[in-house]
PDB file of all heavy atoms in Angstrom:
ATOM      1  N   THR A   1      13.567  -5.059  -0.357  1.00 92.00           N
ATOM      2  CA  THR A   1      12.195  -4.837  -0.435  1.00 92.00           C
ATOM      3  C   THR A   1      11.855  -4.264  -1.840  1.00 92.00           C
ATOM      4  O   THR A   1      12.722  -3.445  -2.308  1.00 92.00           O
ATOM      5  CB  THR A   1      11.599  -3.945   0.660  1.00 92.00           C
ATOM      6  OG1 THR A   1      10.267  -3.692   0.436  1.00 92.00           O
ATOM      7  CG2 THR A   1      12.319  -2.641   0.773  1.00 92.00           C
ATOM      8  N   ALA A   2      10.823  -4.610  -2.411  1.00 93.00           N
ATOM      9  CA  ALA A   2      10.396  -4.080  -3.727  1.00 93.00           C
ATOM     10  C   ALA A   2       9.358  -2.853  -3.577  1.00 93.00           C
ATOM     11  O   ALA A   2       9.001  -2.434  -4.622  1.00 93.00           O
ATOM     12  CB  ALA A   2       9.824  -5.225  -4.545  1.00 93.00           C
ATOM     13  N   ILE A   3       9.000  -2.588  -2.379  1.00 93.00           N
ATOM     14  CA  ILE A   3       7.863  -1.582  -2.311  1.00 93.00           C
ATOM     15  C   ILE A   3       8.315  -0.188  -3.028  1.00 93.00           C
ATOM     16  O   ILE A   3       7.409   0.540  -3.437  1.00 93.00           O
ATOM     17  CB  ILE A   3       7.384  -1.344  -0.931  1.00 93.00           C
ATOM     18  CG1 ILE A   3       8.385  -0.762   0.049  1.00 93.00           C
ATOM     19  CG2 ILE A   3       6.769  -2.740  -0.409  1.00 93.00           C
ATOM     20  CD1 ILE A   3       7.807  -0.436   1.467  1.00 93.00           C
ATOM     21  N   GLY A   4       9.623   0.177  -2.927  1.00 91.00           N
ATOM     22  CA  GLY A   4       9.948   1.370  -3.577  1.00 91.00           C
ATOM     23  C   GLY A   4       9.849   1.284  -5.081  1.00 91.00           C
ATOM     24  O   GLY A   4       9.341   2.246  -5.684  1.00 91.00           O
ATOM     25  N   VAL A   5      10.179   0.210  -5.669  1.00 93.00           N
ATOM     26  CA  VAL A   5      10.058  -0.024  -7.086  1.00 93.00           C
ATOM     27  C   VAL A   5       8.584  -0.094  -7.462  1.00 93.00           C
ATOM     28  O   VAL A   5       8.148   0.514  -8.487  1.00 93.00           O
ATOM     29  CB  VAL A   5      10.735  -1.356  -7.468  1.00 93.00           C
ATOM     30  CG1 VAL A   5      10.426  -1.665  -8.992  1.00 93.00           C
ATOM     31  CG2 VAL A   5      12.199  -1.308  -7.301  1.00 93.00           C
ATOM     32  N   LEU A   6       7.693  -0.696  -6.638  1.00 94.00           N
ATOM     33  CA  LEU A   6       6.297  -0.804  -6.982  1.00 94.00           C
ATOM     34  C   LEU A   6       5.642   0.507  -6.785  1.00 94.00           C
ATOM     35  O   LEU A   6       4.743   0.899  -7.558  1.00 94.00           O
ATOM     36  CB  LEU A   6       5.700  -1.859  -6.033  1.00 94.00           C
ATOM     37  CG  LEU A   6       6.104  -3.295  -6.246  1.00 94.00           C
ATOM     38  CD1 LEU A   6       5.586  -4.182  -5.158  1.00 94.00           C
ATOM     39  CD2 LEU A   6       5.603  -3.849  -7.660  1.00 94.00           C
ATOM     40  N   ALA A   7       6.171   1.291  -5.793  1.00 93.00           N
ATOM     41  CA  ALA A   7       5.527   2.607  -5.593  1.00 93.00           C
ATOM     42  C   ALA A   7       5.855   3.476  -6.802  1.00 93.00           C
ATOM     43  O   ALA A   7       5.007   4.375  -7.190  1.00 93.00           O
ATOM     44  CB  ALA A   7       6.014   3.296  -4.292  1.00 93.00           C
ATOM     45  N   ASP A   8       7.059   3.353  -7.366  1.00 92.00           N
ATOM     46  CA  ASP A   8       7.341   4.165  -8.552  1.00 92.00           C
ATOM     47  C   ASP A   8       6.399   3.962  -9.741  1.00 92.00           C
ATOM     48  O   ASP A   8       6.182   4.817 -10.615  1.00 92.00           O
ATOM     49  CB  ASP A   8       8.834   3.791  -9.127  1.00 92.00           C
ATOM     50  CG  ASP A   8       9.909   4.419  -8.259  1.00 92.00           C
ATOM     51  OD1 ASP A   8       9.477   5.421  -7.524  1.00 92.00           O
ATOM     52  OD2 ASP A   8      11.051   4.098  -8.329  1.00 92.00           O
ATOM     53  N   HIS A   9       5.770   2.720  -9.778  1.00 94.00           N
ATOM     54  CA  HIS A   9       4.751   2.568 -10.808  1.00 94.00           C
ATOM     55  C   HIS A   9       3.593   3.573 -10.846  1.00 94.00           C
ATOM     56  O   HIS A   9       2.942   3.778 -11.842  1.00 94.00           O
ATOM     57  CB  HIS A   9       4.238   1.112 -10.680  1.00 94.00           C
ATOM     58  CG  HIS A   9       3.146   0.726 -11.718  1.00 94.00           C
ATOM     59  ND1 HIS A   9       3.465   0.403 -12.995  1.00 94.00           N
ATOM     60  CD2 HIS A   9       1.816   0.706 -11.588  1.00 94.00           C
ATOM     61  CE1 HIS A   9       2.361   0.123 -13.650  1.00 94.00           C
ATOM     62  NE2 HIS A   9       1.308   0.323 -12.831  1.00 94.00           N
ATOM     63  N   PHE A  10       3.303   4.009  -9.635  1.00 93.00           N
ATOM     64  CA  PHE A  10       2.109   4.880  -9.492  1.00 93.00           C
ATOM     65  C   PHE A  10       2.489   6.340  -9.445  1.00 93.00           C
ATOM     66  O   PHE A  10       1.633   7.232  -9.341  1.00 93.00           O
ATOM     67  CB  PHE A  10       1.461   4.505  -8.125  1.00 93.00           C
ATOM     68  CG  PHE A  10       0.825   3.175  -8.124  1.00 93.00           C
ATOM     69  CD1 PHE A  10       1.552   2.114  -7.625  1.00 93.00           C
ATOM     70  CD2 PHE A  10      -0.378   2.963  -8.651  1.00 93.00           C
ATOM     71  CE1 PHE A  10       1.004   0.852  -7.613  1.00 93.00           C
ATOM     72  CE2 PHE A  10      -0.994   1.606  -8.592  1.00 93.00           C
ATOM     73  CZ  PHE A  10      -0.258   0.599  -8.129  1.00 93.00           C
ATOM     74  N   ARG A  11       3.827   6.635  -9.635  1.00 85.00           N
ATOM     75  CA  ARG A  11       4.190   8.082  -9.754  1.00 85.00           C
ATOM     76  C   ARG A  11       3.507   8.782 -10.846  1.00 85.00           C
ATOM     77  O   ARG A  11       3.498   8.253 -12.000  1.00 85.00           O
ATOM     78  CB  ARG A  11       5.794   8.201  -9.834  1.00 85.00           C
ATOM     79  CG  ARG A  11       6.520   7.488  -8.834  1.00 85.00           C
ATOM     80  CD  ARG A  11       6.439   8.135  -7.417  1.00 85.00           C
ATOM     81  NE  ARG A  11       7.218   7.358  -6.431  1.00 85.00           N
ATOM     82  CZ  ARG A  11       7.051   7.382  -5.200  1.00 85.00           C
ATOM     83  NH1 ARG A  11       6.146   8.075  -4.706  1.00 85.00           N
ATOM     84  NH2 ARG A  11       7.924   6.686  -4.405  1.00 85.00           N
ATOM     85  N   GLY A  12       2.878   9.919 -10.662  1.00 86.00           N
ATOM     86  CA  GLY A  12       2.248  10.677 -11.677  1.00 86.00           C
ATOM     87  C   GLY A  12       0.818  10.261 -11.952  1.00 86.00           C
ATOM     88  O   GLY A  12       0.111  10.762 -12.749  1.00 86.00           O
ATOM     89  N   SER A  13       0.375   9.178 -11.219  1.00 91.00           N
ATOM     90  CA  SER A  13      -1.078   8.687 -11.518  1.00 91.00           C
ATOM     91  C   SER A  13      -1.933   9.417 -10.627  1.00 91.00           C
ATOM     92  O   SER A  13      -1.574   9.971  -9.580  1.00 91.00           O
ATOM     93  CB  SER A  13      -1.084   7.236 -11.202  1.00 91.00           C
ATOM     94  OG  SER A  13      -0.293   6.469 -11.900  1.00 91.00           O
ATOM     95  N   ASN A  14      -3.212   9.595 -10.993  1.00 93.00           N
ATOM     96  CA  ASN A  14      -4.204  10.145 -10.157  1.00 93.00           C
ATOM     97  C   ASN A  14      -4.650   9.192  -9.015  1.00 93.00           C
ATOM     98  O   ASN A  14      -5.278   8.156  -9.359  1.00 93.00           O
ATOM     99  CB  ASN A  14      -5.404  10.605 -11.055  1.00 93.00           C
ATOM    100  CG  ASN A  14      -6.575  11.123 -10.156  1.00 93.00           C
ATOM    101  OD1 ASN A  14      -6.330  11.520  -9.052  1.00 93.00           O
ATOM    102  ND2 ASN A  14      -7.754  11.209 -10.808  1.00 93.00           N
ATOM    103  N   LEU A  15      -4.269   9.436  -7.799  1.00 93.00           N
ATOM    104  CA  LEU A  15      -4.516   8.550  -6.772  1.00 93.00           C
ATOM    105  C   LEU A  15      -5.677   9.059  -5.849  1.00 93.00           C
ATOM    106  O   LEU A  15      -5.812   8.639  -4.685  1.00 93.00           O
ATOM    107  CB  LEU A  15      -3.215   8.272  -5.866  1.00 93.00           C
ATOM    108  CG  LEU A  15      -2.078   7.644  -6.738  1.00 93.00           C
ATOM    109  CD1 LEU A  15      -0.919   7.426  -5.740  1.00 93.00           C
ATOM    110  CD2 LEU A  15      -2.530   6.264  -7.321  1.00 93.00           C
ATOM    111  N   ALA A  16      -6.380  10.070  -6.335  1.00 92.00           N
ATOM    112  CA  ALA A  16      -7.458  10.556  -5.517  1.00 92.00           C
ATOM    113  C   ALA A  16      -8.509   9.476  -5.293  1.00 92.00           C
ATOM    114  O   ALA A  16      -8.723   8.633  -6.192  1.00 92.00           O
ATOM    115  CB  ALA A  16      -8.190  11.695  -6.273  1.00 92.00           C
ATOM    116  N   ASP A  17      -9.029   9.387  -4.110  1.00 94.00           N
ATOM    117  CA  ASP A  17      -9.958   8.429  -3.662  1.00 94.00           C
ATOM    118  C   ASP A  17      -9.428   6.959  -3.614  1.00 94.00           C
ATOM    119  O   ASP A  17     -10.127   5.964  -3.658  1.00 94.00           O
ATOM    120  CB  ASP A  17     -11.327   8.427  -4.355  1.00 94.00           C
ATOM    121  CG  ASP A  17     -11.248   7.901  -5.919  1.00 94.00           C
ATOM    122  OD1 ASP A  17     -10.224   7.462  -6.305  1.00 94.00           O
ATOM    123  OD2 ASP A  17     -12.326   8.021  -6.489  1.00 94.00           O
ATOM    124  N   CYS A  18      -8.083   6.808  -3.616  1.00 96.00           N
ATOM    125  CA  CYS A  18      -7.443   5.431  -3.505  1.00 96.00           C
ATOM    126  C   CYS A  18      -7.181   5.164  -1.993  1.00 96.00           C
ATOM    127  O   CYS A  18      -6.900   5.961  -1.213  1.00 96.00           O
ATOM    128  CB  CYS A  18      -6.167   5.400  -4.339  1.00 96.00           C
ATOM    129  SG  CYS A  18      -6.471   5.222  -6.144  1.00 96.00           S
ATOM    130  N   ILE A  19      -7.009   3.849  -1.773  1.00 96.00           N
ATOM    131  CA  ILE A  19      -6.574   3.407  -0.453  1.00 96.00           C
ATOM    132  C   ILE A  19      -5.728   2.170  -0.629  1.00 96.00           C
ATOM    133  O   ILE A  19      -6.147   1.260  -1.496  1.00 96.00           O
ATOM    134  CB  ILE A  19      -7.828   3.194   0.546  1.00 96.00           C
ATOM    135  CG1 ILE A  19      -7.374   2.804   1.907  1.00 96.00           C
ATOM    136  CG2 ILE A  19      -8.730   2.147  -0.085  1.00 96.00           C
ATOM    137  CD1 ILE A  19      -8.598   2.740   2.965  1.00 96.00           C
ATOM    138  N   VAL A  20      -4.714   1.934   0.079  1.00 97.00           N
ATOM    139  CA  VAL A  20      -3.924   0.689   0.045  1.00 97.00           C
ATOM    140  C   VAL A  20      -4.566  -0.331   1.018  1.00 97.00           C
ATOM    141  O   VAL A  20      -4.908  -0.011   2.196  1.00 97.00           O
ATOM    142  CB  VAL A  20      -2.456   1.008   0.452  1.00 97.00           C
ATOM    143  CG1 VAL A  20      -1.707  -0.298   0.590  1.00 97.00           C
ATOM    144  CG2 VAL A  20      -1.812   1.935  -0.530  1.00 97.00           C
ATOM    145  N   VAL A  21      -4.692  -1.546   0.611  1.00 95.00           N
ATOM    146  CA  VAL A  21      -5.250  -2.652   1.396  1.00 95.00           C
ATOM    147  C   VAL A  21      -4.340  -3.776   1.470  1.00 95.00           C
ATOM    148  O   VAL A  21      -3.767  -4.290   0.419  1.00 95.00           O
ATOM    149  CB  VAL A  21      -6.629  -3.104   0.762  1.00 95.00           C
ATOM    150  CG1 VAL A  21      -7.185  -4.285   1.559  1.00 95.00           C
ATOM    151  CG2 VAL A  21      -7.670  -1.976   0.662  1.00 95.00           C
ATOM    152  N   SER A  22      -4.075  -4.161   2.691  1.00 93.00           N
ATOM    153  CA  SER A  22      -3.300  -5.434   2.915  1.00 93.00           C
ATOM    154  C   SER A  22      -4.238  -6.644   3.019  1.00 93.00           C
ATOM    155  O   SER A  22      -5.290  -6.564   3.620  1.00 93.00           O
ATOM    156  CB  SER A  22      -2.557  -5.276   4.280  1.00 93.00           C
ATOM    157  OG  SER A  22      -1.988  -6.558   4.639  1.00 93.00           O
ATOM    158  N   PRO A  23      -3.862  -7.704   2.404  1.00 90.00           N
ATOM    159  CA  PRO A  23      -4.793  -8.901   2.438  1.00 90.00           C
ATOM    160  C   PRO A  23      -4.959  -9.462   3.833  1.00 90.00           C
ATOM    161  O   PRO A  23      -6.027 -10.078   4.018  1.00 90.00           O
ATOM    162  CB  PRO A  23      -4.145  -9.902   1.499  1.00 90.00           C
ATOM    163  CG  PRO A  23      -3.193  -9.137   0.720  1.00 90.00           C
ATOM    164  CD  PRO A  23      -2.742  -8.023   1.563  1.00 90.00           C
ATOM    165  N   ASP A  24      -4.081  -9.305   4.758  1.00 87.00           N
ATOM    166  CA  ASP A  24      -4.218  -9.780   6.105  1.00 87.00           C
ATOM    167  C   ASP A  24      -3.460  -8.782   7.034  1.00 87.00           C
ATOM    168  O   ASP A  24      -2.666  -7.928   6.673  1.00 87.00           O
ATOM    169  CB  ASP A  24      -3.628 -11.185   6.215  1.00 87.00           C
ATOM    170  CG  ASP A  24      -2.188 -11.267   5.698  1.00 87.00           C
ATOM    171  OD1 ASP A  24      -1.330 -10.665   6.254  1.00 87.00           O
ATOM    172  OD2 ASP A  24      -1.968 -11.949   4.726  1.00 87.00           O
ATOM    173  N   LEU A  25      -3.680  -8.999   8.358  1.00 82.00           N
ATOM    174  CA  LEU A  25      -3.087  -8.139   9.307  1.00 82.00           C
ATOM    175  C   LEU A  25      -1.523  -8.317   9.406  1.00 82.00           C
ATOM    176  O   LEU A  25      -0.818  -7.466   9.845  1.00 82.00           O
ATOM    177  CB  LEU A  25      -3.758  -8.384  10.678  1.00 82.00           C
ATOM    178  CG  LEU A  25      -5.299  -8.030  10.687  1.00 82.00           C
ATOM    179  CD1 LEU A  25      -5.876  -8.497  12.080  1.00 82.00           C
ATOM    180  CD2 LEU A  25      -5.536  -6.592  10.374  1.00 82.00           C
ATOM    181  N   GLY A  26      -1.106  -9.550   9.156  1.00 81.00           N
ATOM    182  CA  GLY A  26       0.360  -9.798   9.147  1.00 81.00           C
ATOM    183  C   GLY A  26       1.147  -8.981   8.167  1.00 81.00           C
ATOM    184  O   GLY A  26       2.338  -8.612   8.424  1.00 81.00           O
ATOM    185  N   ASN A  27       0.564  -8.591   7.106  1.00 85.00           N
ATOM    186  CA  ASN A  27       1.231  -7.834   6.105  1.00 85.00           C
ATOM    187  C   ASN A  27       0.997  -6.396   6.155  1.00 85.00           C
ATOM    188  O   ASN A  27       1.376  -5.506   5.334  1.00 85.00           O
ATOM    189  CB  ASN A  27       0.749  -8.299   4.715  1.00 85.00           C
ATOM    190  CG  ASN A  27       1.592  -7.725   3.529  1.00 85.00           C
ATOM    191  OD1 ASN A  27       2.857  -7.960   3.513  1.00 85.00           O
ATOM    192  ND2 ASN A  27       0.978  -7.081   2.563  1.00 85.00           N
ATOM    193  N   ALA A  28       0.237  -5.905   7.251  1.00 88.00           N
ATOM    194  CA  ALA A  28      -0.146  -4.572   7.433  1.00 88.00           C
ATOM    195  C   ALA A  28       0.933  -3.624   7.560  1.00 88.00           C
ATOM    196  O   ALA A  28       0.894  -2.439   7.109  1.00 88.00           O
ATOM    197  CB  ALA A  28      -1.147  -4.463   8.601  1.00 88.00           C
ATOM    198  N   LYS A  29       2.061  -4.036   8.198  1.00 89.00           N
ATOM    199  CA  LYS A  29       3.195  -3.098   8.369  1.00 89.00           C
ATOM    200  C   LYS A  29       3.780  -2.696   7.002  1.00 89.00           C
ATOM    201  O   LYS A  29       4.060  -1.506   6.803  1.00 89.00           O
ATOM    202  CB  LYS A  29       4.206  -3.739   9.247  1.00 89.00           C
ATOM    203  CG  LYS A  29       5.505  -2.792   9.490  1.00 89.00           C
ATOM    204  CD  LYS A  29       6.469  -3.526  10.364  1.00 89.00           C
ATOM    205  CE  LYS A  29       7.709  -2.636  10.548  1.00 89.00           C
ATOM    206  NZ  LYS A  29       8.703  -3.240  11.436  1.00 89.00           N
ATOM    207  N   VAL A  30       4.013  -3.721   6.145  1.00 91.00           N
ATOM    208  CA  VAL A  30       4.532  -3.372   4.839  1.00 91.00           C
ATOM    209  C   VAL A  30       3.559  -2.600   4.061  1.00 91.00           C
ATOM    210  O   VAL A  30       4.010  -1.594   3.303  1.00 91.00           O
ATOM    211  CB  VAL A  30       4.916  -4.669   4.107  1.00 91.00           C
ATOM    212  CG1 VAL A  30       5.435  -4.398   2.656  1.00 91.00           C
ATOM    213  CG2 VAL A  30       5.908  -5.487   4.892  1.00 91.00           C
ATOM    214  N   ALA A  31       2.250  -2.834   4.103  1.00 93.00           N
ATOM    215  CA  ALA A  31       1.243  -2.082   3.386  1.00 93.00           C
ATOM    216  C   ALA A  31       1.318  -0.647   3.876  1.00 93.00           C
ATOM    217  O   ALA A  31       1.076   0.281   3.149  1.00 93.00           O
ATOM    218  CB  ALA A  31      -0.074  -2.740   3.528  1.00 93.00           C
ATOM    219  N   THR A  32       1.455  -0.427   5.177  1.00 92.00           N
ATOM    220  CA  THR A  32       1.494   0.910   5.796  1.00 92.00           C
ATOM    221  C   THR A  32       2.778   1.684   5.183  1.00 92.00           C
ATOM    222  O   THR A  32       2.653   2.877   4.840  1.00 92.00           O
ATOM    223  CB  THR A  32       1.663   0.867   7.268  1.00 92.00           C
ATOM    224  OG1 THR A  32       0.431   0.187   7.781  1.00 92.00           O
ATOM    225  CG2 THR A  32       1.632   2.230   7.843  1.00 92.00           C
ATOM    226  N   GLN A  33       3.931   1.030   5.079  1.00 90.00           N
ATOM    227  CA  GLN A  33       5.066   1.670   4.502  1.00 90.00           C
ATOM    228  C   GLN A  33       4.795   2.022   3.099  1.00 90.00           C
ATOM    229  O   GLN A  33       5.154   3.137   2.598  1.00 90.00           O
ATOM    230  CB  GLN A  33       6.306   0.746   4.563  1.00 90.00           C
ATOM    231  CG  GLN A  33       6.726   0.522   6.017  1.00 90.00           C
ATOM    232  CD  GLN A  33       7.776  -0.610   6.120  1.00 90.00           C
ATOM    233  OE1 GLN A  33       8.168  -1.248   5.099  1.00 90.00           O
ATOM    234  NE2 GLN A  33       8.179  -1.015   7.340  1.00 90.00           N
ATOM    235  N   PHE A  34       4.158   1.142   2.340  1.00 93.00           N
ATOM    236  CA  PHE A  34       3.861   1.373   0.922  1.00 93.00           C
ATOM    237  C   PHE A  34       2.920   2.558   0.818  1.00 93.00           C
ATOM    238  O   PHE A  34       3.067   3.422  -0.110  1.00 93.00           O
ATOM    239  CB  PHE A  34       3.231   0.098   0.317  1.00 93.00           C
ATOM    240  CG  PHE A  34       2.887   0.212  -1.151  1.00 93.00           C
ATOM    241  CD1 PHE A  34       3.883   0.269  -2.105  1.00 93.00           C
ATOM    242  CD2 PHE A  34       1.582   0.259  -1.557  1.00 93.00           C
ATOM    243  CE1 PHE A  34       3.644   0.387  -3.499  1.00 93.00           C
ATOM    244  CE2 PHE A  34       1.231   0.324  -2.930  1.00 93.00           C
ATOM    245  CZ  PHE A  34       2.228   0.381  -3.881  1.00 93.00           C
ATOM    246  N   ALA A  35       1.808   2.635   1.704  1.00 93.00           N
ATOM    247  CA  ALA A  35       0.924   3.656   1.653  1.00 93.00           C
ATOM    248  C   ALA A  35       1.518   4.988   1.984  1.00 93.00           C
ATOM    249  O   ALA A  35       1.173   6.018   1.397  1.00 93.00           O
ATOM    250  CB  ALA A  35      -0.232   3.363   2.726  1.00 93.00           C
ATOM    251  N   ARG A  36       2.460   5.045   2.927  1.00 90.00           N
ATOM    252  CA  ARG A  36       3.209   6.260   3.226  1.00 90.00           C
ATOM    253  C   ARG A  36       3.973   6.792   2.017  1.00 90.00           C
ATOM    254  O   ARG A  36       4.029   7.967   1.821  1.00 90.00           O
ATOM    255  CB  ARG A  36       4.143   6.090   4.425  1.00 90.00           C
ATOM    256  CG  ARG A  36       3.469   5.853   5.737  1.00 90.00           C
ATOM    257  CD  ARG A  36       4.460   5.722   6.873  1.00 90.00           C
ATOM    258  NE  ARG A  36       5.295   6.894   7.048  1.00 90.00           N
ATOM    259  CZ  ARG A  36       6.283   6.973   7.945  1.00 90.00           C
ATOM    260  NH1 ARG A  36       6.675   5.835   8.524  1.00 90.00           N
ATOM    261  NH2 ARG A  36       7.030   8.079   7.977  1.00 90.00           N
ATOM    262  N   LEU A  37       4.594   5.897   1.176  1.00 90.00           N
ATOM    263  CA  LEU A  37       5.299   6.451   0.035  1.00 90.00           C
ATOM    264  C   LEU A  37       4.330   7.050  -0.959  1.00 90.00           C
ATOM    265  O   LEU A  37       4.802   7.956  -1.698  1.00 90.00           O
ATOM    266  CB  LEU A  37       5.948   5.149  -0.674  1.00 90.00           C
ATOM    267  CG  LEU A  37       7.105   4.524   0.060  1.00 90.00           C
ATOM    268  CD1 LEU A  37       7.638   3.284  -0.687  1.00 90.00           C
ATOM    269  CD2 LEU A  37       8.273   5.491   0.164  1.00 90.00           C
ATOM    270  N   LEU A  38       3.088   6.602  -0.951  1.00 91.00           N
ATOM    271  CA  LEU A  38       2.085   7.213  -1.936  1.00 91.00           C
ATOM    272  C   LEU A  38       1.229   8.254  -1.323  1.00 91.00           C
ATOM    273  O   LEU A  38       0.403   8.854  -1.959  1.00 91.00           O
ATOM    274  CB  LEU A  38       1.258   6.088  -2.536  1.00 91.00           C
ATOM    275  CG  LEU A  38       2.038   5.038  -3.304  1.00 91.00           C
ATOM    276  CD1 LEU A  38       1.097   3.940  -3.781  1.00 91.00           C
ATOM    277  CD2 LEU A  38       2.753   5.644  -4.484  1.00 91.00           C
ATOM    278  N   GLY A  39       1.285   8.419   0.068  1.00 91.00           N
ATOM    279  CA  GLY A  39       0.528   9.500   0.742  1.00 91.00           C
ATOM    280  C   GLY A  39      -0.931   8.985   0.734  1.00 91.00           C
ATOM    281  O   GLY A  39      -1.856   9.880   0.673  1.00 91.00           O
ATOM    282  N   LEU A  40      -1.196   7.684   1.038  1.00 94.00           N
ATOM    283  CA  LEU A  40      -2.545   7.221   0.944  1.00 94.00           C
ATOM    284  C   LEU A  40      -2.881   6.576   2.357  1.00 94.00           C
ATOM    285  O   LEU A  40      -1.913   6.159   3.093  1.00 94.00           O
ATOM    286  CB  LEU A  40      -2.680   6.112  -0.094  1.00 94.00           C
ATOM    287  CG  LEU A  40      -2.507   6.556  -1.547  1.00 94.00           C
ATOM    288  CD1 LEU A  40      -2.586   5.318  -2.442  1.00 94.00           C
ATOM    289  CD2 LEU A  40      -3.611   7.613  -1.899  1.00 94.00           C
ATOM    290  N   PRO A  41      -4.204   6.450   2.683  1.00 95.00           N
ATOM    291  CA  PRO A  41      -4.586   5.718   3.873  1.00 95.00           C
ATOM    292  C   PRO A  41      -4.371   4.163   3.585  1.00 95.00           C
ATOM    293  O   PRO A  41      -4.225   3.748   2.456  1.00 95.00           O
ATOM    294  CB  PRO A  41      -6.059   6.123   4.111  1.00 95.00           C
ATOM    295  CG  PRO A  41      -6.473   6.483   2.675  1.00 95.00           C
ATOM    296  CD  PRO A  41      -5.270   7.096   2.001  1.00 95.00           C
ATOM    297  N   VAL A  42      -4.599   3.425   4.699  1.00 95.00           N
ATOM    298  CA  VAL A  42      -4.427   1.979   4.577  1.00 95.00           C
ATOM    299  C   VAL A  42      -5.578   1.240   5.275  1.00 95.00           C
ATOM    300  O   VAL A  42      -6.067   1.686   6.273  1.00 95.00           O
ATOM    301  CB  VAL A  42      -2.995   1.580   5.163  1.00 95.00           C
ATOM    302  CG1 VAL A  42      -2.890   1.832   6.648  1.00 95.00           C
ATOM    303  CG2 VAL A  42      -2.780   0.099   4.889  1.00 95.00           C
ATOM    304  N   ALA A  43      -5.878   0.028   4.790  1.00 94.00           N
ATOM    305  CA  ALA A  43      -6.825  -0.781   5.445  1.00 94.00           C
ATOM    306  C   ALA A  43      -6.286  -2.222   5.337  1.00 94.00           C
ATOM    307  O   ALA A  43      -5.273  -2.491   4.682  1.00 94.00           O
ATOM    308  CB  ALA A  43      -8.209  -0.720   4.748  1.00 94.00           C
ATOM    309  N   ALA A  44      -6.961  -3.176   5.936  1.00 91.00           N
ATOM    310  CA  ALA A  44      -6.447  -4.525   5.994  1.00 91.00           C
ATOM    311  C   ALA A  44      -7.623  -5.519   6.126  1.00 91.00           C
ATOM    312  O   ALA A  44      -8.683  -5.212   6.644  1.00 91.00           O
ATOM    313  CB  ALA A  44      -5.491  -4.830   7.082  1.00 91.00           C
ATOM    314  N   GLY A  45      -7.409  -6.732   5.553  1.00 87.00           N
ATOM    315  CA  GLY A  45      -8.417  -7.803   5.650  1.00 87.00           C
ATOM    316  C   GLY A  45      -8.090  -8.695   6.925  1.00 87.00           C
ATOM    317  O   GLY A  45      -6.972  -8.799   7.265  1.00 87.00           O
ATOM    318  N   SER A  46      -9.082  -9.262   7.475  1.00 78.00           N
ATOM    319  CA  SER A  46      -8.885 -10.153   8.561  1.00 78.00           C
ATOM    320  C   SER A  46      -9.100 -11.580   7.963  1.00 78.00           C
ATOM    321  O   SER A  46     -10.215 -11.987   7.614  1.00 78.00           O
ATOM    322  CB  SER A  46      -9.926  -9.906   9.669  1.00 78.00           C
ATOM    323  OG  SER A  46      -9.806 -10.900  10.710  1.00 78.00           O
ATOM    324  N   LYS A  47      -7.969 -12.251   7.779  1.00 71.00           N
ATOM    325  CA  LYS A  47      -7.869 -13.459   6.972  1.00 71.00           C
ATOM    326  C   LYS A  47      -7.649 -14.763   7.801  1.00 71.00           C
ATOM    327  O   LYS A  47      -6.729 -14.643   8.668  1.00 71.00           O
ATOM    328  CB  LYS A  47      -6.869 -13.353   5.795  1.00 71.00           C
ATOM    329  CG  LYS A  47      -6.793 -14.490   4.875  1.00 71.00           C
ATOM    330  CD  LYS A  47      -5.763 -14.206   3.790  1.00 71.00           C
ATOM    331  CE  LYS A  47      -4.416 -14.361   4.160  1.00 71.00           C
ATOM    332  NZ  LYS A  47      -3.479 -14.220   3.108  1.00 71.00           N
ATOM    333  N   ARG A  48      -8.316 -15.781   7.487  1.00 68.00           N
ATOM    334  CA  ARG A  48      -8.047 -17.107   8.068  1.00 68.00           C
ATOM    335  C   ARG A  48      -7.744 -18.108   6.894  1.00 68.00           C
ATOM    336  O   ARG A  48      -8.493 -18.170   5.993  1.00 68.00           O
ATOM    337  CB  ARG A  48      -9.144 -17.689   8.853  1.00 68.00           C
ATOM    338  CG  ARG A  48      -9.472 -16.937  10.165  1.00 68.00           C
ATOM    339  CD  ARG A  48     -10.574 -17.608  11.002  1.00 68.00           C
ATOM    340  NE  ARG A  48     -11.868 -17.520  10.338  1.00 68.00           N
ATOM    341  CZ  ARG A  48     -12.461 -18.552   9.822  1.00 68.00           C
ATOM    342  NH1 ARG A  48     -11.993 -19.786   9.853  1.00 68.00           N
ATOM    343  NH2 ARG A  48     -13.711 -18.360   9.263  1.00 68.00           N
TER     344      ARG A  48
END
């Protein structure tokens, strides 16, 4: 998985008022893991 490498990109950035969004519900689990690495809430799109 690349989410650890991608999360490192945001280290030291101001993430106040940020939220992680998954494009669809199927990707929500990975988005939740990514959000936990950054200490952020998560949302998702309902996609067809």
Side-chain angles (χ1 to χ4, degrees):
T1 176
I3 64 172
V5 173
L6 293 170
D8 280 347
H9 177 80
F10 296 92
R11 304 292 180 201
S13 302
N14 178 15
L15 299 179
D17 73 3
C18 284
I19 185 171
V20 174
V21 176
S22 171
D24 54 62
L25 299 175
N27 192 55
K29 180 180 179 180
V30 176
T32 299
Q33 294 170 1
F34 183 71
R36 289 182 63 187
L37 290 175
L38 298 177
L40 296 176
V42 65
S46 176
K47 183 176 76 175
R48 291 185 293 111

